[in-house]
Amino acid sequence: MTTLETQNLTIRFGGHVAVNAVSCAFRPGELTAIVGPNGAGKTTYFNLISGQLRPSEGSVLFDGQDITNLSAPLRTRAGLGRAFQLTNLFPNLSVEENVRLAVQAHSGTQYDMLRPWRTRRDLIERADAILDSVALGARRDVAATALSHGDQRKLEVALMMALQPKVYMFDEPTAGMSVDEVPVVLDLIARLKNDASKIILLVEHKMDVVRSLADRIIVLHNGQLVADGKPAEVIASPIVQEAYLGIAPGKNAA
Amino acid sequence: MIILSGDPPRSRALSILLIAIIVALAAVPFLFPGAKAMNVASKICIFAALVASYDLLLGYTGTVSFAHTMFYGIGSYAIAIALYGMGPSWAAIAVGIAVGLPLAALLALGIGLFSLRVEAIFFAMITLAVASAFLVLASQLSWLTGGEDGRSFQLPELLRPGTVFVKDFFGVSINGRTLTYYIVFFASAAMILGLLRVVNSPFGRVLQAVRENRFRAEALGYRTVFHLTYANCLAAVVAASAGVLNAMWLRYAGPDTSLSFAIMLDILLMVVIGGMGTMYGAVIGAAVFILAQNYLQALMGVASNAAAEAGLPLLPGLLHPDRWLLWLGLLFVASVYFFPTGIVGRLRGVTRPKS
Ligand SMILES: Nc1ncnc2c1ncn2[C@@H]1O[C@H](COP(=O)(O)OP(=O)(O)OP(=O)(O)O)[C@@H](O)[C@H]1O
Ligand SMILES: [Mg+2]
């Protein structure tokens, strides 16, 4: 069974504590939404889990192993999948090639130098199937940089899907998307929830999205974990009303 | 197109140009058996392979190395020292290759693992430092390398001009020199086709991913330091092999013909003129550059005289053969300015994504 846990996870940038002693365990079959105001440390928390940053203190445990000192590529191979908040693609490669590279990584084909890549039909077909699943099939031959912002966000998600990870980490997957593009991504996440062996982490500002998808919400504020629980409880709690929705307690609006 | 690894020239003009260059190079011993033409042709072959191996690094992975001539020099010196020390035998050639190529690979492995983990600029600086040190070392160890004078040596009997196979083949003598030329030609072609295979392999695709966005390649699970290091080793081995061919052709290895930074500069120019990240650019770049280097002066002499006879003002002076370096420089500035994607990029006519 997949397990993921952070213990006392802390990182300081100079004097600024971006993530402050966050201890939290994530369970398979559960979609945890991570919310909090801008600069709360959500993305930094993700970077600590997926290995882009090393903590000043604390540790990350994955499948019973302490992976705190594992590099990002090794964490990915272990099963931690990441879709970035700031779209992070191979800009001049085609859309298909972007995904194919992710499929290739997942297939474990690292150093095969001797056969032409096109002979690996299996990788190409798998990439095309994933592109179809995010409604990008028709755009497969254009350069990633030529995609609209919304399509780039979808491609970003497609790269993670191609890795078939045990843990999916979505960092504001629908940010900046037009309303008609959002459902494709949300459907995709909803479908992932059918697999009870996966851990899904979702950073999201849109409360309606959080409400409809999350099984659990944790709230980060100034790098600290300030609330953790069922969506309805957490959203109703004063600390969220204040910290996240910016509503002072007492002056509670409907 | 299995020999091209599924990566054809993708432009009729480019295909024609490539075929013309290859046919011309293959036919040189019969069409222009003179020493000068043979030297130019073999230099084009050798540099095409050398530049292709540099393109693997610069064009495909985006890393800048200044140590490429060092690897070229290692190959050259290995074969030269072996043939000088052991005498002109095939065993000496085998020893030179067996020592030179692994040495180049090991050195590249060390440099790569040490400096490719971090910023690309660090790698560039380290290669510059190591290559400079190697240059000094090669001139200091004169008991081994011959110092500034280098090492001249004899080739095995079979490869000498005196070994005549066919005395008069339509007026051309086919001898050991011809055989050496074809060894150079086919070995270079094999290396270029091998590199074309590598850049079109799944591994080669990762190299391009690293060039585009190393951070993301890592996040996908590629430990890119190894991909870059292996590419560096492979480039080093091909460069050293080109060095072996170079020394065998010249029957000499010295700092100026195999180690100097002037050669490094030439390689850079050739890869940029031909077109980075294309492999075919190496063939075109080497051919254009080396032809210009060797024949521009003569061509200008003719033009200058013609202009003088026609009584034109200024032109005879401008075209005077002594100004050939100026014109060569201008030619390169112009080609880089007008063909920022190189001749190959220009002929393919697009900046479309490499799918
Ligand atoms: N590499 C870094 N160096 C210095 N400070 C950093 C670094 N990364 C993040 N920070 C700081 O850490 C804090 C948390 O940033 P983070 O990006 O994690 O916030 P966030 O919760 O994801 O915000 P948003 O909702 O805007 O995405 C911010 O104050 C940010 O400026
Ligand atoms: Mg963020």
Side-chain angles (χ1 to χ4, degrees):
Chain A
M1 194 180 75
T2 302
T3 58
L4 176 66
E5 185 177 353
T6 68
Q7 289 177 342
N8 192 33
L9 205 60
T10 303
I11 188 167
R12 294 183 201 92
F13 296 116
H16 178 67
V17 191
V19 171
N20 193 348
V22 175
S23 297
C24 190
F26 303 99
R27 293 174 283 267
E30 192 175 70
L31 189 151
T32 306
I34 300 169
V35 302
N38 293 116
K42 305 178 296 291
T43 299
T44 307
Y45 186 50
F46 268 14
N47 283 336
L48 290 170
I49 294 175
S50 56
Q52 277 76 29
L53 290 173
R54 295 296 148 83
S56 315
E57 276 162 44
S59 50
V60 183
L61 306 179
F62 180 56
D63 277 347
Q65 306 264 346
D66 187 335
I67 60 165
T68 317
N69 291 316
L70 220 55
S71 67
L74 290 180
R75 291 192 207 195
T76 303
R77 288 200 220 170
L80 291 165
R82 176 86 189 269
F84 292 88
Q85 175 177 11
L86 297 177
T87 304
N88 202 333
L89 305 164
F90 305 108
N92 299 309
L93 303 183
S94 72
V95 169
E96 183 185 63
E97 178 62 9
N98 269 264
V99 181
R100 201 201 58 80
L101 280 163
V103 173
Q104 182 185 321
H106 176 64
S107 77
T109 312
Q110 293 264 340
Y111 308 113
D112 179 355
M113 301 186 187
L114 295 181
R115 72 177 120 181
W117 64 276
R118 271 180 242 265
T119 61
R120 287 298 302 272
R121 290 299 316 168
D122 54 328
L123 303 182
I124 299 172
E125 280 159 18
R126 171 109 186 87
D128 288 345
I130 291 164
L131 282 175
D132 288 337
S133 76
V134 292
L136 280 178
R139 308 282 284 151
R140 69 173 59 121
D141 291 326
V142 308
T145 179
L147 290 180
S148 68
H149 173 79
D151 283 347
Q152 290 192 356
R153 297 299 300 151
K154 286 193 224 163
L155 183 54
E156 179 69 38
V157 169
L159 291 195
M160 175 169 61
M161 307 304 292
L163 296 173
Q164 295 184 283
K166 297 175 181 170
V167 178
Y168 289 85
M169 305 171 73
F170 294 92
D171 198 346
E172 303 192 27
T174 65
M177 274 191 176
S178 65
V179 274
D180 50 318
E181 290 173 317
V182 172
V184 180
V185 174
L186 295 188
D187 286 351
L188 201 98
I189 299 175
R191 254 180 289 145
L192 283 181
K193 287 184 64 181
N194 294 334
D195 186 342
S197 69
K198 307 288 188 190
I199 292 174
I200 306 173
L201 308 184
L202 171 68
V203 171
E204 184 56 77
H205 279 289
K206 300 188 189 98
M207 268 305 158
D208 51 333
V209 171
V210 171
R211 230 184 246 111
S212 70
L213 286 173
D215 303 305
R216 172 189 179 193
I217 298 179
I218 64 175
V219 183
L220 287 184
H221 187 51
N222 289 332
Q224 283 177 305
L225 194 141
V226 293
D228 178 356
K230 290 250 172 295
E233 298 162 18
V234 172
I235 290 172
S237 68
I239 193 144
V240 169
Q241 296 288 315
E242 181 186 19
Y244 186 69
L245 300 172
I247 302 160
K251 284 193 253 169
N252 208 344
Chain B
M1 282 306 223
I2 196 67
I3 190 167
L4 300 180
S5 306
D7 183 15
R10 282 187 282 133
S11 147
R12 174 169 298 180
L14 178 57
S15 308
I16 292 170
L17 191 57
L18 283 166
I19 290 170
I21 291 172
I22 293 164
V23 168
L25 287 174
V28 158
F30 299 98
L31 297 181
F32 312 101
K36 162 106 183 185
M38 292 277 279
N39 282 336
V40 170
S42 68
K43 191 173 177 191
I44 290 176
C45 295
I46 292 164
F47 269 76
L50 181 62
V51 172
S53 68
Y54 195 70
D55 192 27
L56 174 69
L57 284 184
L58 183 64
Y60 285 85
T61 74
T63 39
V64 177
S65 164
F66 293 107
H68 220 59
T69 42
M70 176 177 78
F71 297 121
Y72 185 59
I74 288 176
S76 298
Y77 273 105
I79 208 84
I81 291 168
L83 279 164
Y84 179 83
M86 298 170 63
S89 67
W90 292 100
I93 291 186
V95 167
I97 291 172
V99 171
L101 304 195
L103 186 66
L106 271 177
L107 203 54
L109 184 74
I111 295 175
L113 289 179
F114 174 67
S115 61
L116 280 167
R117 289 183 186 281
V118 278
E119 301 283 312
I121 183 73
F122 185 61
F123 177 73
M125 278 157 35
I126 291 292
T127 55
L128 192 58
V130 174
S132 309
F134 193 85
L135 194 61
V136 173
L137 196 72
S139 66
Q140 293 294 311
L141 298 178
S142 48
W143 59 271
L144 182 68
T145 62
E148 293 301 320
D149 296 336
R151 280 280 182 246
S152 294
F153 55 87
Q154 289 269 303
L155 286 174
E157 193 73 41
L158 191 66
L159 300 178
R160 294 186 197 165
T163 308
V164 176
F165 303 113
V166 184
K167 204 170 186 111
D168 187 358
F169 184 83
F170 299 105
V172 177
S173 152
I174 299 183
N175 54 38
R177 197 78 179 137
T178 323
L179 178 61
T180 313
Y181 176 79
Y182 280 110
I183 291 176
V184 168
F185 176 85
F186 284 108
S188 302
M191 286 192 276
I192 294 169
L193 289 173
L195 286 167
L196 194 62
R197 171 58 58 100
V198 169
V199 298
N200 284 293
S201 69
F203 169 80
R205 295 262 119 182
V206 180
L207 297 182
Q208 299 192 35
V210 173
R211 178 193 67 201
E212 288 286 312
N213 186 346
R214 186 172 182 181
F215 175 88
R216 183 47 139 163
E218 291 261 319
L220 289 182
Y222 293 114
R223 290 202 281 173
T224 59
V225 61
F226 293 110
H227 295 85
L228 291 178
T229 300
Y230 295 161
N232 193 36
C233 290
L234 194 66
V237 169
V238 175
S241 308
V244 167
L245 296 177
N246 172 55
M248 281 178 61
W249 180 257
L250 298 176
R251 287 160 289 177
Y252 166 79
D256 291 341
T257 58
S258 54
L259 269 181
S260 77
F261 279 103
I263 302 177
M264 192 64 244
L265 201 64
D266 288 353
I267 296 174
L268 266 166
L269 281 168
M270 287 185 230
V271 80
V272 170
I273 290 167
M276 284 194 287
T278 62
M279 278 300 150
Y280 293 108
V283 179
I284 309 258
V288 168
F289 187 97
I290 292 166
L291 284 176
Q293 216 178 26
N294 284 280
Y295 294 110
L296 192 63
Q297 207 171 2
L299 203 69
M300 283 174 58
V302 173
S304 176
N305 286 339
E309 272 165 33
L312 296 171
L314 216 60
L315 268 180
L318 269 178
L319 292 175
H320 193 275
D322 286 352
R323 309 245 185 293
W324 79 280
L325 259 176
L326 169 77
W327 284 100
L328 192 66
L330 283 178
L331 207 67
F332 295 138
V333 172
S335 84
V336 171
Y337 183 80
F338 290 111
F339 311 142
T341 51
I343 295 172
V344 170
R346 179 66 193 215
L347 291 179
R348 284 178 174 170
V350 264
T351 47
R352 86 188 122 170
K354 295 146 199 127
S355 86

